[in-house]
């Protein structure tokens, strides 16, 4: 570095002497030389030369500041490259989404990766190799732009520059939606893999109850390393801590669920549909804050990050693909959930028993830490259960090969009796769709301050309330009525 800067100084001095373009000071040297020659007066030439010398001297005296600036530039351009490639992946992303990303879990994950990078350099290498084909396919996406430009030519009145950009972006997005070809994921096939010298064989958990379902449950111990688990938990905790500074808005699947929660907490409050924010299944801000105390925050906490938002997402999906043949393009968001003591999760299937093929074919769930007592994942119809162990992955199919939801895949999270449970989950879809794995736009209702979390209480039993760091459309009545189809 020191040698380089000396060489630069020498070069810069030479460039001034020769009046030539050289090194980092080239533009200064060139500009000054040009203005000097056009003036033609020797007094100005001397003045300009003096000016150059002063600039060069100040540069020479502060090499650290200069190199610092260069460093900032390179960091800046790296950021730009990242966000640009993200923009290709998320063409519908708005500016507010970009701002929102600043407070998203991805930032925390990125920090965790920086630490992890020091620990696992070899693994980072493997991932880079894996990313190459995707980068190529991104270039293909970019090639869509000229097509939309061709269409723009038909427009008679020339739109303003920014308008033109906006409309061509819109056009690109709609082209991409139209051109989207769904990939089907019909089964998983678990096999042994090696990660960082760890041998990871799948262990099938055999049903203890006779059944005729296609559901298979596998377990991999040490699927994630201790460092990966700890990094994810830390990122989740920091994010939850930040976001719980604001009280959440609480939503219910029905007024009955709200009544049951109030009754269980010995609150004699009469509630009517008028207590809900119009158009939604959520109660207003004041009532929500009251409920937070009344319900004693009896919920689990879920935070989400999306594919492509962090290196870890690549690391993880690559490992999952190698181990199970579950393909990254069929994967949705990543969700980290933590359960405080006394909290579990209702019995449910991860798929819906309707004809929807764009549904969750398989689930991978990784326990990020041991739980002293309770917190098992249980499949009551199969007689299968698994205990939380740091790094242990549980993977199962929720749908059969024909894309029908298997009712016997029902499962629940037993209440944590002692300890604190953390899991990472990702769902893989039978038929993927354009918006799968992309951070979704947020609904405008209920009106709320930016960064307000939500709590969703789906049913009373088994402590089914869950706090979320992001919003979807489940609580919007119109959405429920129309069963709006996602792109
Ligand atoms: O925490 C668990 O063990 C299960 C969680 C689960 O099934 C879910 O969130 O869909
Ligand atoms: Fe589940």
């Amino acid at each position: 570095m020191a040698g380089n800067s000396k060489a630069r100084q020498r070069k810069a001095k030479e460039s001034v002497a020769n009046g030539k373009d050289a090194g980092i000071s080239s533009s200064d040297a060139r500009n000054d030389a040009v203005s000097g020659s056009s003036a033609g007066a020797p007094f100005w030439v001397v003045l300009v030369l003096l000016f150059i010398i002063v600039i060069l001297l100040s540069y020479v005296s502060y090499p650290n500041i200069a190199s610092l600036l260069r460093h900032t530039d390179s960091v800046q351009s790296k950021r730009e490259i990242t966000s640009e490639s993200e923009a290709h992946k998320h063409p519908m992303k708005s500016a507010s989404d970009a701002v929102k990303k600043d407070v998203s879990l991805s930032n925390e994950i990125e920090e965790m990766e920086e630490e992890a990078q020091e620990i696992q350099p070899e693994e980072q290498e493997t991932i880079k190799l894996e990313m190459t084909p995707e980068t190529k396919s991104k270039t293909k996406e970019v090639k869509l732009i000229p097509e939309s430009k061709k269409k723009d030519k038909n427009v008679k009145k020339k739109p303003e520059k920014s308008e033109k950009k906006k409309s061509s972006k819109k056009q690109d997005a709609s082209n991409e939606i139209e051109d989207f070809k769904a990939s089907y994921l019909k089964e998983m096939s678990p096999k042994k893999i090696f990660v960082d010298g760890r041998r990871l064989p799948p262990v099938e958990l055999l049903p203890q109850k006779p059944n005729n379902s296609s559901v298979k449950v596998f377990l991999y111990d040490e699927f994630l390393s201790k460092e990966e688990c700890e990094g994810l938990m830390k990122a989740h905790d920091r994010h939850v801590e930040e976001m719980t500074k604001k009280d959440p808005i609480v939503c219910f699947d029905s007024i009955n669920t709200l009544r049951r929660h109030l009754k269980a907490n010995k609150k004699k409050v009469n509630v009517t549909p008028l207590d809900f924010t119009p158009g939604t299944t959520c109660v207003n801000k004041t009532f929500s804050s009251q409920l937070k105390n009344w319900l004693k925050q009896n919920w689990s906490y879920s935070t989400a990050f999306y594919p492509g938002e962090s290196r870890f997402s690549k690391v993880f999906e690559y490992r999952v693909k190698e181990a199970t043949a579950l393909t990254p393009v069929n994967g949705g968001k990543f969700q980290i959930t933590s359960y405080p003591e006394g909290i579990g999760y209702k019995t449910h299937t991860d798929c819906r028993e309707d004809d929807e093929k764009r549904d969750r074919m398989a689930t991978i769930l990784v326990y990020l830490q041991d739980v002293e007592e309770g917190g098992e994942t249980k499949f009551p119809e199969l007689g299968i259960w698994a205990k939380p162990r740091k790094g242990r992955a549980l993977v199962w199919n929720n749908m059969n090969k024909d894309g029908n939801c298997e009712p016997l895949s029902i499962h629940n999270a037993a209440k944590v009796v002692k300890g604190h449970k953390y899991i990472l989950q990702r769902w893989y879809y039978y038929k993927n769709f354009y918006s799968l794995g992309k951070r979704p736009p947020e609904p405008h209702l209920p009106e709320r301050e930016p960064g307000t979390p939500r709590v969703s209480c789906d049913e009373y039993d088994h402590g089914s309330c869950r706090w979320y760091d992001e919003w979807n459309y489940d609580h919007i009545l119109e959405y429920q009525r129309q069963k709006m189809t996602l792109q």
Side-chain angles (χ1 to χ4, degrees):
M1 199 60 184
N4 274 347
S5 102
K6 269 197 184 148
R8 259 198 309 273
Q9 289 165 21
R10 214 179 317 115
K11 251 188 166 182
K13 273 182 195 158
E14 278 167 19
S15 82
V16 177
N18 303 336
K20 254 202 244 161
D21 183 8
I24 20 171
S25 324
S26 62
S27 63
D28 283 354
R30 197 194 305 117
N31 290 343
D32 289 344
V34 171
S35 59
S37 64
S38 62
F43 170 74
W44 287 110
V45 174
V46 171
L47 207 67
V48 165
L49 277 174
L50 269 173
F51 181 61
I52 294 170
I53 288 163
V54 167
I55 296 242
L56 281 174
L57 277 176
S58 66
Y59 177 79
V60 166
S61 336
Y62 299 103
N64 290 337
I65 293 176
S67 66
L68 213 139
L69 285 173
R70 276 196 303 283
H71 173 73
T72 324
D73 278 347
S74 73
V75 171
Q76 177 74 26
S77 60
K78 257 189 213 159
R79 283 216 184 105
E80 276 163 14
I81 289 163
T82 319
S83 53
E84 198 180 287
S85 63
E86 270 172 22
H88 291 313
K89 274 202 127 178
H90 308 270
M92 310 256 275
K93 223 183 210 179
S94 66
S96 66
D97 285 338
V99 173
K100 198 177 149 267
K101 195 179 167 287
D102 279 341
V103 291
S104 84
L105 179 67
S106 321
N107 283 2
E108 318 277 354
I109 305 277
E110 265 167 33
E111 272 177 41
M112 151 216 150
E113 284 165 347
E114 270 155 32
E115 288 163 25
Q117 210 168 5
E118 284 159 28
I119 305 162
Q120 297 167 325
E122 293 126 6
E123 193 167 359
Q124 297 295 337
E125 277 304 310
T126 331
I127 303 315
K128 267 184 203 156
L129 289 174
E130 172 60 15
M131 281 171 71
T132 324
E134 268 226 15
T135 323
K136 274 184 190 161
S137 77
K138 262 183 214 157
T139 328
K140 265 187 196 163
E141 273 178 36
V142 179
K143 277 183 189 162
L144 285 169
I145 297 166
E147 262 183 36
S148 68
K149 273 188 184 164
K150 265 185 229 162
K151 280 182 189 164
D152 278 349
K153 274 184 189 168
N154 298 331
V155 183
K156 276 178 192 162
K157 191 176 159 254
K158 254 194 177 177
E160 289 293 308
K161 231 184 185 179
S162 64
E163 263 179 47
K164 204 170 159 185
K165 245 189 191 173
K166 258 192 227 163
S167 69
S168 92
K169 257 191 189 169
K170 253 192 185 170
Q171 187 68 56
D172 290 342
S174 61
N175 278 356
E176 281 186 35
I177 295 167
E178 269 172 34
D179 295 348
F180 184 81
K181 292 262 178 304
S183 319
Y184 289 81
L185 177 62
K186 301 192 172 177
E187 58 187 331
M188 54 174 191
S189 42
K191 69 168 176 42
K192 176 178 68 195
I193 56 162
F194 290 89
V195 177
D196 283 342
R198 306 197 298 279
R199 182 176 166 273
L200 310 183
V203 175
E204 185 173 355
L205 303 183
L206 296 171
Q208 300 301 300
K209 282 185 181 178
N211 73 90
N212 57 356
S213 88
S214 73
V215 182
K216 284 186 178 303
V217 185
F218 295 88
L219 182 151
Y220 286 89
D221 271 327
E222 294 185 276
F223 192 77
L224 289 189
S225 70
K226 187 173 165 279
E227 291 75 20
E228 286 165 331
C229 291
E230 269 156 23
L232 288 167
M233 286 192 292
K234 202 163 114 193
H236 169 83
D237 281 348
R238 275 201 297 210
H239 188 58
V240 169
E241 193 188 327
E242 195 50 42
M243 285 204 68
T244 44
K245 284 180 183 158
K246 275 206 178 81
D247 282 353
I249 298 282
V250 191
C251 313
F252 297 86
D253 68 336
S254 69
I255 191 162
N256 249 352
T257 302
L258 168 57
R259 286 189 178 130
R260 288 189 71 184
H261 276 283
L262 289 170
K263 197 173 164 203
N265 288 288
K266 299 189 174 61
K267 295 288 163 215
K268 286 192 178 129
V269 186
N270 225 348
V271 283
T272 72
L274 293 176
D275 287 307
F276 288 83
T277 303
T280 76
T281 62
C282 310
V283 300
N284 70 21
K285 191 178 158 176
T286 323
F287 194 9
S288 288
S289 301
Q290 224 159 28
L291 280 171
K292 177 187 141 182
N293 299 326
W294 289 351
L295 270 51
K296 301 180 198 84
Q297 301 179 52
N298 62 348
W299 46 68
S300 46
Y301 293 82
S302 280
T303 53
F305 60 101
Y306 285 80
E309 285 184 351
S310 65
R311 279 188 302 267
F312 176 79
S313 62
K314 289 276 164 211
V315 174
F316 187 74
E317 67 184 19
Y318 174 70
R319 200 173 301 166
V320 173
K321 189 182 125 216
E322 288 296 287
T324 64
L326 294 172
T327 39
V329 288
N330 293 81
K333 67 179 177 186
F334 299 79
Q335 188 174 285
I336 305 178
T337 304
S338 58
Y339 299 80
E341 253 175 36
I343 305 296
Y345 197 61
K346 65 182 178 181
T347 303
H348 65 283
T349 52
D350 284 352
C351 47
R352 281 155 303 164
E353 288 167 51
D354 52 26
D355 235 5
E356 186 56 272
K357 299 261 183 291
R358 297 191 313 183
D359 211 351
R360 304 191 264 194
M361 198 291 274
T363 303
I364 180 153
L365 180 161
V366 189
Y367 303 104
L368 302 179
Q369 91 173 354
D370 297 1
V371 174
E372 237 179 283
E373 200 183 334
E376 300 87 357
T377 307
K378 294 182 172 171
F379 295 81
E381 290 299 330
L382 307 175
I384 289 174
W385 53 270
K387 252 182 174 313
R389 284 276 170 268
K390 195 183 215 81
R392 169 180 287 173
L394 207 57
V395 57
W396 70 90
N397 62 302
N398 303 294
M399 292 166 93
N400 65 18
K401 281 185 189 167
D402 301 325
N404 298 319
C405 185
E406 285 278 16
L408 299 192
S409 66
I410 55 167
H411 54 279
N412 60 55
K415 280 185 184 170
V416 173
V417 179
K418 199 165 181 209
H420 203 135
K421 176 178 168 186
Y422 287 82
I423 54 167
L424 166 71
Q425 288 188 100
R426 193 180 193 204
W427 294 280
Y428 284 81
Y429 287 66
Y430 188 87
K431 180 184 176 185
N432 70 352
F433 46 96
Y434 178 75
S435 59
L436 179 66
K438 295 182 173 72
R439 193 172 275 279
E442 290 213 335
H444 65 288
L445 279 176
E447 261 177 43
R448 59 196 183 277
E449 286 166 30
T452 303
R454 85 185 148 103
V455 167
S456 177
C457 296
D458 289 346
E459 62 168 59
Y460 174 72
D461 296 314
H462 306 109
S464 61
C465 292
R466 205 167 252 185
W467 175 104
Y468 292 93
D469 68 339
E470 60 170 10
W471 289 77
N472 63 21
Y473 280 74
D474 288 350
H475 63 287
I476 303 277
L477 293 174
E478 194 54 27
Y479 175 82
Q480 295 294 359
R481 258 197 294 275
Q482 290 189 10
K483 285 246 174 282
M484 261 155 55
T485 32
L486 294 165
Q487 279 164 341

